[in-house]
Amino acid sequence: MNGSPSMGERPMAHQAVLLAGATGLSQVLVAVLYLFAARGVGPEAFGSVVSAIALGTAAAGFIDFGTNNHWTRELARQAIGRDAFAARLLSKIAITVALGVIWTVVLGVAAPASHLWLAGPVAAALVANQAYQVPLRSAARGDLVALVILSDRASAAVFFFALLAVQVPSTVALWVALAAGSVLAAAIARGLGPDRLGRVRLRLVNPWVGARYFGITVVATSAQSLDLALLSGVSGSAASGVYGAVSRWTQPMSLLAAAFSSALAPYAARSPDLRAAWSELRRALWMPVAAIGLAVAVFFAAPLVVDVLLGDDYAGSAGVLRLLALVVIPSIICQPLVVILQAFGRDRYVALIMVIAAIAQLVLVLVLGHASGALGAAQAALVSQLLILVALILGVLHFRNSSSKAGRP
């Protein structure tokens, strides 16, 4: 592959389906690994390891700070040279590895029993994996990205069971396998990407230059997940248990929308105006429409879903699931709108919307969650998503007359 956006490019709908399938299957594989790792291990020991893995995953997101999305847009628009991109990519990986080593050494000495030290290698491996996918994403090769995603989790499964076979403790095998899978996936993505990336001499540069608003958007979106912790604080663990139990059943709908938006990003970035971006978007419009249809089905089937999947203890949570199904609908519509606005240089506007919405949601969780428990938290999420949707639509309408990327701020 020579990095040309058109070489080997598949239709957008085809790429979105492959991305959704690969992501869904990889989640199943991880769930299986966690299941096997938990067998024969006490909850305390298992909990400390998976908490450290979660910390490493979160750290990778903060270290990335939106750079991957920013780079995808700039490469697709050919607004950044390959050499400059390679320097930023290698700098980000070098900085992450250095931070990971420091974290691992310090925590390994100060608190080895906490397992928090292993967040360092997990974060470094994940950052490298995701960074090397950027050239493939920017070239609209979602099919190759799907291959990398699958190779990551499939190789992790092979490493995990191989380690178990030689009597390595399951908790150790879990984090080692996940980190090794990410490293191998990074190597595969590098091999599938432009050859020039492998021959650039390392020179430290600022990898986050130009990506601050992408990063703010990521942080604001992540902050919305604090609603569960706030709900637990103001309404008790029972309310957060109900909310957390039913919210997982909205994930398949979000998966379809995320795959659609990921496949759309390079096409939108290369489009000269909103009309051209729409022509690309509508070719795979059936995916978000299908996701919305699934959300509507969950809304009507909520009592049955709760009764069959969760049992009598959660009988009163059908109303919460219904509200969360409604929350998913504007969320599905918002994701491609965010991609389009960011593609046309409106990342500052998107970041402002996300920050305001995150603050509004968390404040509403404190108020409504205290009054109505899990139902109040769901209401807060719905208000937040509707606020985002209205603001994004207004943003697209305001910028709809943009005729050329040459004038993008």
Side-chain angles (χ1 to χ4, degrees), residues 130-276:
Q130 294 175 345
Y132 275 109
Q133 292 178 28
V134 169
L136 301 177
R137 292 184 184 275
S138 66
R141 291 306 306 268
D143 51 335
L144 296 182
V145 175
L147 177 62
V148 173
I149 291 172
L150 280 178
S151 67
D152 176 3
R153 299 315 189 187
S155 58
V158 172
F159 289 135
F160 177 77
F161 289 110
L163 290 171
L164 288 186
V166 294
Q167 305 302 310
V168 173
S170 62
T171 50
V172 175
L174 179 63
W175 77 263
V176 170
L178 291 176
S182 287
V183 171
L184 179 60
I188 292 173
R190 174 180 168 178
L192 293 173
D195 293 338
R196 193 188 308 176
L197 295 182
R199 298 197 299 266
V200 174
R201 184 169 56 89
L202 174 63
R203 54 185 178 87
L204 285 179
V205 298
N206 178 8
W208 299 281
V209 63
R212 62 185 179 276
Y213 294 119
F214 283 86
I216 292 172
T217 297
V218 171
V219 171
T221 302
S222 299
Q224 291 176 315
S225 64
L226 295 174
D227 59 350
L228 198 59
L230 290 179
L231 177 62
S232 179
V234 300
S235 194
S237 58
S240 61
V242 168
Y243 187 83
V246 298
S247 63
R248 74 182 61 182
W249 303 111
T250 64
Q251 292 178 357
M253 299 166 261
S254 300
L255 178 63
L256 284 172
F260 172 78
S261 299
S262 179
L264 171 64
Y267 290 97
R270 298 197 316 241
S271 300
D273 50 41
L274 289 175
R275 185 183 298 274

Side-chain angles (χ1 to χ4, degrees), residues 10 28 120 162 286:
R10 303 292 189 272
V28 171
W286 65 268

Side-chain angles (χ1 to χ4, degrees), residues 34-340:
Y34 272 61
L35 176 64
F36 275 90
R39 296 176 62 181
V41 178
E44 184 176 353
F46 182 70
S48 65
V49 170
V50 296
S51 295
I53 293 173
L55 177 62
T57 303
F62 280 106
I63 291 171
D64 172 65
F65 200 66
T67 52
N68 289 337
N69 289 337
H70 174 64
W71 293 343
T72 297
R73 183 190 73 181
E74 297 302 278
L75 285 174
R77 293 166 56 182
Q78 298 183 350
I80 181 176
R82 289 283 175 181
D83 289 343
F85 162 69
R88 295 183 191 181
L89 182 152
L90 294 175
S91 294
K92 184 170 73 170
I93 293 176
I95 292 170
T96 304
V97 169
L99 292 174
V101 169
I102 294 171
W103 175 274
T104 300
V105 171
V106 171
L107 270 295
V109 173
S114 70
H115 293 103
L116 291 177
W117 57 269
L118 66 84
V122 169
L126 191 55
V127 166
N129 180 8
Q130 294 175 345
Y132 275 109
Q133 292 178 28
V134 169
L136 301 177
R137 292 184 184 275
S138 66
R141 291 306 306 268
D143 51 335
L144 296 182
V145 175
L147 177 62
V148 173
I149 291 172
L150 280 178
S151 67
D152 176 3
R153 299 315 189 187
S155 58
V158 172
F159 289 135
F160 177 77
F161 289 110
L163 290 171
L164 288 186
V166 294
Q167 305 302 310
V168 173
S170 62
T171 50
V172 175
L174 179 63
W175 77 263
V176 170
L178 291 176
S182 287
V183 171
L184 179 60
I188 292 173
R190 174 180 168 178
L192 293 173
D195 293 338
R196 193 188 308 176
L197 295 182
R199 298 197 299 266
V200 174
R201 184 169 56 89
L202 174 63
R203 54 185 178 87
L204 285 179
V205 298
N206 178 8
W208 299 281
V209 63
R212 62 185 179 276
Y213 294 119
F214 283 86
I216 292 172
T217 297
V218 171
V219 171
T221 302
S222 299
Q224 291 176 315
S225 64
L226 295 174
D227 59 350
L228 198 59
L230 290 179
L231 177 62
S232 179
V234 300
S235 194
S237 58
S240 61
V242 168
Y243 187 83
V246 298
S247 63
R248 74 182 61 182
W249 303 111
T250 64
Q251 292 178 357
M253 299 166 261
S254 300
L255 178 63
L256 284 172
F260 172 78
S261 299
S262 179
L264 171 64
Y267 290 97
R270 298 197 316 241
S271 300
D273 50 41
L274 289 175
R275 185 183 298 274
W278 165 251
S279 69
E280 293 291 349
L281 184 150
R282 66 183 180 182
R283 295 178 183 179
L285 202 58
W286 65 268
M287 288 193 72
V289 170
I292 291 173
L294 185 57
V296 172
V298 170
F299 175 83
F300 286 107
L304 178 62
V305 170
V306 169
D307 181 55
V308 172
L309 297 179
L310 298 177
D312 295 337
D313 291 340
Y314 294 87
S317 62
V320 178
L321 180 56
R322 276 185 162 169
L323 266 182
L324 290 177
L326 292 179
V327 170
V328 171
I329 294 175
S331 174
I332 291 169
I333 301 171
C334 286
Q335 290 191 48
L337 294 181
V338 166
V339 169
I340 288 175

Side-chain angles (χ1 to χ4, degrees), residues 23-35:
T23 305
L25 184 55
S26 69
Q27 290 178 354
V28 171
L29 286 173
V30 170
V32 171
L33 296 187
Y34 272 61
L35 176 64

